[in-house]
């Protein structure tokens, strides 16, 4: 009998090993990994420099209390603030925890409670972050949610302007809605969010849990626009598979997050910090990020060209190596068939195929994936004519 809670619809893939962009199951099947642990393994599986950093830290210490000074935490925090609009970092274990910290800080700093988020957003599954998430399916069955979250239409500047007032503590937004369908924000919408936050004394919070750490070709996705958020949350790709999250905030916010206000027993664990430092050493590099942009253009252009005549495909959207193929029907059978043919991809809602390859993916592997996706979508068209 399975001793795990059935909280996941698990695929029929029993992983026994993984390296680079490949995963091997217990039947000896090899898969091209365009999931990356859901935007976690940005350097692929078991990157050697990250593995070496982990092994070196294991020989020093594994865990001590955050009551002690730990130089590796300071170094990692400095790397994050040097490549962002922030000045100070709080370390935790996940994206949900990073968003929890951001919600608490926004309320504490402003003295206000109302937080605006957006329909189809996703910010986590703790009670506060579930309440912040603008999806009914995430809320269902849990009774009353945390109060004073308002969900607005994404990319609707007028709608936001109509509800903004002095009671708003923060606006929390994703630059690209990941779980909601790989939906990019319009530049003018992001600008209006920032302007309105400043006008009404609300904090501008950007959730970079899925989009951050090089995924879109920049250290953080908001850097494609002329924005300066008050708080940035990050996790997933930060630790190359080891659990770590971070809330990055501006200096003015430090006064509201003093001793005893917030904490995390395992936040900034030295093993995870070692992995994160090694990860950022590689990714926060102009040459590496330029290659991510080139690969992203190759994948997006290739998909658009090859799928142009496929009737079931409505749109290819996204940025860098975070792309979605929007279709006119349920993509579950397509994802299942791709898996049978050796390509691992995700959905983002019922009608979107989500592609999150490692940032280290090769151009040859990109072409291989495009070929497999095209063949499967053509087959889908034949079996499901419009």
């Amino acid at each position: 009998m399975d001793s795990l809670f059935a909280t996941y619809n698990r695929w029929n893939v029993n992983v026994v090993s993984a390296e680079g962009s490949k995963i091997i199951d217990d039947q000896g099947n090899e898969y091209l990994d365009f999931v990356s642990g859901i935007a976690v393994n940005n350097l692929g599986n078991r990157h050697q420099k990250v593995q070496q950093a982990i092994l070196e830290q294991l020989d020093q210490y594994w865990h001590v209390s955050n009551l002690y000074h730990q130089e590796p935490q300071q170094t990692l925090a400095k790397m994050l603030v040097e490549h962002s609009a922030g000045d100070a970092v709080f370390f935790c274990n996940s994206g949900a925890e990073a968003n929890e910290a951001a919600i608490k800080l926004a309320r504490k700093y402003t003295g206000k409670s109302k937080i605006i988020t957006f329909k189809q957003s996703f910010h986590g599954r703790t009670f506060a972050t579930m309440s912040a998430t603008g999806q009914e399916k995430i809320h269902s069955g849990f009774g009353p949610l945390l109060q004073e979250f308002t969900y607005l239409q994404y990319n609707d500047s007028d709608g936001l302007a109509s509800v903004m007032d002095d009671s708003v503590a923060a606006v929390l937004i994703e630059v690209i809605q990941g779980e909601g369908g790989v939906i990019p924000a319009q530049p003018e919408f992001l600008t209006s969010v920032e302007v309105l936050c400043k006008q009404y004394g609300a904090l501008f919070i950007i959730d970079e849990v899925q989009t951050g750490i090089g995924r879109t070709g920049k250290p953080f996705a908001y850097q494609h626009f002329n924005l300066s958020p008050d708080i940035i949350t990050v996790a997933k790709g930060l630790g190359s598979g080891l659990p770590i999250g971070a809330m990055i905030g501006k200096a003015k916010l430090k006064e509201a997050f003093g001793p005893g206000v917030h904490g995390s027993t395992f936040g900034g664990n030295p093993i995870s910090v070692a992995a994160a430092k090694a990860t950022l050493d590689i990714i926060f590099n102009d040459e590496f990020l330029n290659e991510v942009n080139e690969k992203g253009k190759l994948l997006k252009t290739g998909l658009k060209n090859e799928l142009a005549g496929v009737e079931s495909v409505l749109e290819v959207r996204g940025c860098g190596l975070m792309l979605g193929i929007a279709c006119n029907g349920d993509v579950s059978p397509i994802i299942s068939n791709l898996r049978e043919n050796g390509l691992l991809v995700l959905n983002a809602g019922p009608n979107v195929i989500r592609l999150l390859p490692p940032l280290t993916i090769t151009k040859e592997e990109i072409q291989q994936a495009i070929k497999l996706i095209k063949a499967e979508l053509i087959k889908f068209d034949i079996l499901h004519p419009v």
Side-chain angles (χ1 to χ4, degrees):
M1 188 176 84
D2 196 333
S3 299
L4 296 170
F5 277 106
T7 50
Y8 306 98
N9 286 318
R10 297 184 190 271
W11 299 343
N12 188 27
V13 177
N14 187 5
V15 178
V16 295
S17 67
E19 186 169 1
S21 58
K22 301 295 174 61
I23 287 176
I24 309 296
D25 70 12
D26 61 348
Q27 302 301 309
N29 298 312
E30 181 179 277
Y31 302 90
L32 181 57
D33 181 13
F34 266 53
V35 175
S36 301
I38 313 183
V40 168
N41 299 325
N42 284 5
L43 293 175
N45 298 288
R46 293 178 51 238
H47 192 284
Q48 290 303 299
K49 289 185 178 179
V50 178
Q51 185 168 322
Q52 185 59 39
I54 292 167
L55 292 173
E56 289 174 4
Q57 184 60 47
L58 281 169
D59 283 335
Q60 296 175 42
Y61 64 100
W62 298 1
H63 173 80
V64 294
S65 170
N66 277 319
L67 294 173
Y68 307 138
H69 292 286
Q70 298 182 65
E71 190 59 35
Q73 286 186 358
Q74 293 284 352
T75 302
L76 179 58
K78 185 176 180 182
M79 295 171 79
L80 287 169
V81 301
E82 284 180 347
H83 290 86
S84 74
D87 302 293
V89 177
F90 172 80
F91 287 118
C92 50
N93 306 290
S94 68
E97 288 182 41
N99 285 329
E100 281 272 350
I103 291 165
K104 285 183 67 174
L105 178 53
R107 287 186 164 194
K108 186 76 162 53
Y109 176 79
T110 65
K112 300 181 284 188
S113 301
K114 185 176 180 180
I115 295 176
I116 293 173
T117 64
F118 297 90
K119 294 176 182 178
Q120 294 306 117
S121 61
F122 182 83
H123 300 293
R125 293 183 183 274
T126 63
F127 238 92
T129 58
M130 176 178 69
S131 300
T133 294
Q135 297 190 51
E136 176 59 33
K137 68 179 183 180
I138 304 297
H139 304 161
S140 180
F142 294 103
L145 300 175
L146 192 66
Q147 294 182 354
E148 298 207 60
F149 284 95
T150 298
Y151 316 117
L152 300 182
Q153 196 67 42
Y154 194 61
N155 279 325
D156 181 359
S157 298
D158 291 340
L160 177 62
S162 71
V163 301
M164 282 294 289
D165 58 30
D166 293 329
S167 70
V168 176
V171 178
L172 171 59
I173 189 170
E174 300 159 275
V175 175
I176 302 174
Q177 290 188 326
E179 304 297 323
V182 192
I183 303 170
Q186 296 167 359
E188 59 273 17
F189 174 62
L190 292 171
T191 299
S192 70
V193 174
E194 183 171 40
V195 168
L196 287 165
C197 283
K198 288 179 179 178
Q199 181 179 343
Y200 290 101
L203 296 186
F204 180 26
I205 307 174
I206 296 185
D207 179 339
E208 293 265 7
V209 171
Q210 189 165 153
T211 54
I213 317 300
R215 174 56 53 185
T216 68
K218 297 275 189 183
F220 301 96
Y222 78 84
Q223 292 166 336
H224 290 282
F225 313 94
N226 186 26
L227 303 173
S228 184
D230 297 299
I231 297 175
I232 306 140
T233 57
V234 65
K236 287 189 179 290
L238 180 57
S240 285
L242 271 73
I244 185 169
M247 180 193 69
I248 310 165
K250 289 188 172 176
K252 66 182 182 181
L253 304 174
K254 291 179 73 172
E255 65 188 60
F257 244 35
V261 172
H262 195 52
S264 170
T265 297
F266 297 108
N269 171 271
I271 308 302
S272 295
V273 166
K277 283 170 55 187
T279 299
L280 298 193
D281 273 335
I282 297 166
I283 293 177
F284 284 2
N285 175 284
D286 288 343
E287 184 177 349
F288 183 91
L289 291 170
N290 286 338
E291 289 182 2
V292 174
N293 280 305
E294 288 178 12
K295 292 172 186 176
K297 289 175 184 176
L298 177 66
L299 178 58
K300 191 173 186 178
T301 301
L303 287 168
K304 283 187 171 183
N305 290 341
E306 293 297 321
L307 302 179
V310 179
E311 292 185 358
S312 58
V313 175
L314 303 177
E315 183 184 13
V316 178
R317 61 194 182 217
C319 182
L321 289 171
M322 180 179 178
L323 299 181
I325 304 170
C327 299
N328 62 8
D330 180 11
V331 298
S332 299
I334 299 169
I335 291 172
S336 179
N337 290 341
L338 284 170
R339 186 163 63 245
E340 291 294 321
N341 287 307
L343 177 64
L344 301 176
V345 299
L346 288 169
N347 70 306
N351 300 334
V352 178
I353 301 168
R354 183 171 24 158
L355 307 178
L356 298 165
L359 308 185
T360 51
I361 197 79
T362 67
K363 293 179 180 179
E364 291 74 21
E365 288 168 333
I366 287 173
Q367 297 295 352
Q368 179 186 351
I370 292 172
K371 183 179 179 181
L372 288 168
I373 292 168
K374 179 181 179 181
E376 196 54 51
L377 283 165
I378 288 173
K379 188 192 306 179
F380 183 82
D381 271 7
I382 295 169
L383 296 175
H384 303 85
V386 177

